[in-house]
Amino acid sequence: MKIALLNGPNLDRLGKREPEIYGSTTLAQLEAKLSETARGMNIELVTFQSNHEGDLIEKIYSLADDPSVTGFIFNPGAYTHTSIALRDAIAGCGKRFVEVHISNIYRRESFRHQSLTAPVSEGIISGLGLYGYEAALRYLAGTCS
């Protein structure tokens, strides 16, 4: 079983960008820890990050065409609130998605309260810090067999 971990814009700056909101763990550290957890569950974790909307869409479709990829953990970053194109890619790829946000988007600026991608995702985890990624992994591992 493979699960894809996708991270959108600015998440390559984890550990540097607004550590009071996002913490001091880098994206590489997050990916390594989650990959280790996945290996312990006999899951291969495929990781990808991009600051570019089109690259994310292309990656969604390329992974969706891989029959061994059973689900996605996706933090679309700011595209959560703006991208109909990403929403349509999620809806059209035929795979299960769990949307993850490190911060609680509902305790932040009002423009962050609307998610265009949540209605086409199976679930959303917001505000649990980096643990949200592990929770999404465990959820998908238990439901995507």
Side-chain angles (χ1 to χ4, degrees), residues 99-120:
E99 182 176 313
V100 174
H101 298 284
I102 297 166
S103 67
N104 182 343
I105 62 175
Y106 302 102
R107 294 185 73 190
R108 299 191 59 198
E109 305 91 340
S110 62
F111 66 84
R112 295 185 195 275
H113 297 179
Q114 174 68 35
S115 171
L116 298 177
T117 49
V120 292

Side-chain angles (χ1 to χ4, degrees), residues 68-137:
S68 65
V69 174
T70 57
F72 288 78
I73 302 164
F74 188 22
N75 184 339
Y79 289 139
T80 302
H81 321 290
T82 64
S83 181
I84 295 168
L86 273 172
R87 180 244 176 254
D88 289 350
I90 293 167
C93 81
K95 299 285 181 159
R96 301 169 75 198
F97 276 75
V98 176
E99 182 176 313
V100 174
H101 298 284
I102 297 166
S103 67
N104 182 343
I105 62 175
Y106 302 102
R107 294 185 73 190
R108 299 191 59 198
E109 305 91 340
S110 62
F111 66 84
R112 295 185 195 275
H113 297 179
Q114 174 68 35
S115 171
L116 298 177
T117 49
V120 292
S121 296
E122 188 159 322
I124 179 172
I125 300 170
S126 177
L128 297 182
L130 298 181
Y131 177 73
Y133 289 94
E134 183 178 338
L137 174 66

Side-chain angles (χ1 to χ4, degrees), residues 30-46:
L30 167 64
E31 290 173 344
K33 182 177 188 292
L34 207 59
S35 291
E36 182 180 324
T37 301
R39 273 191 303 281
M41 302 164 76
N42 294 316
I43 296 169
E44 180 183 345
L45 190 69
V46 179

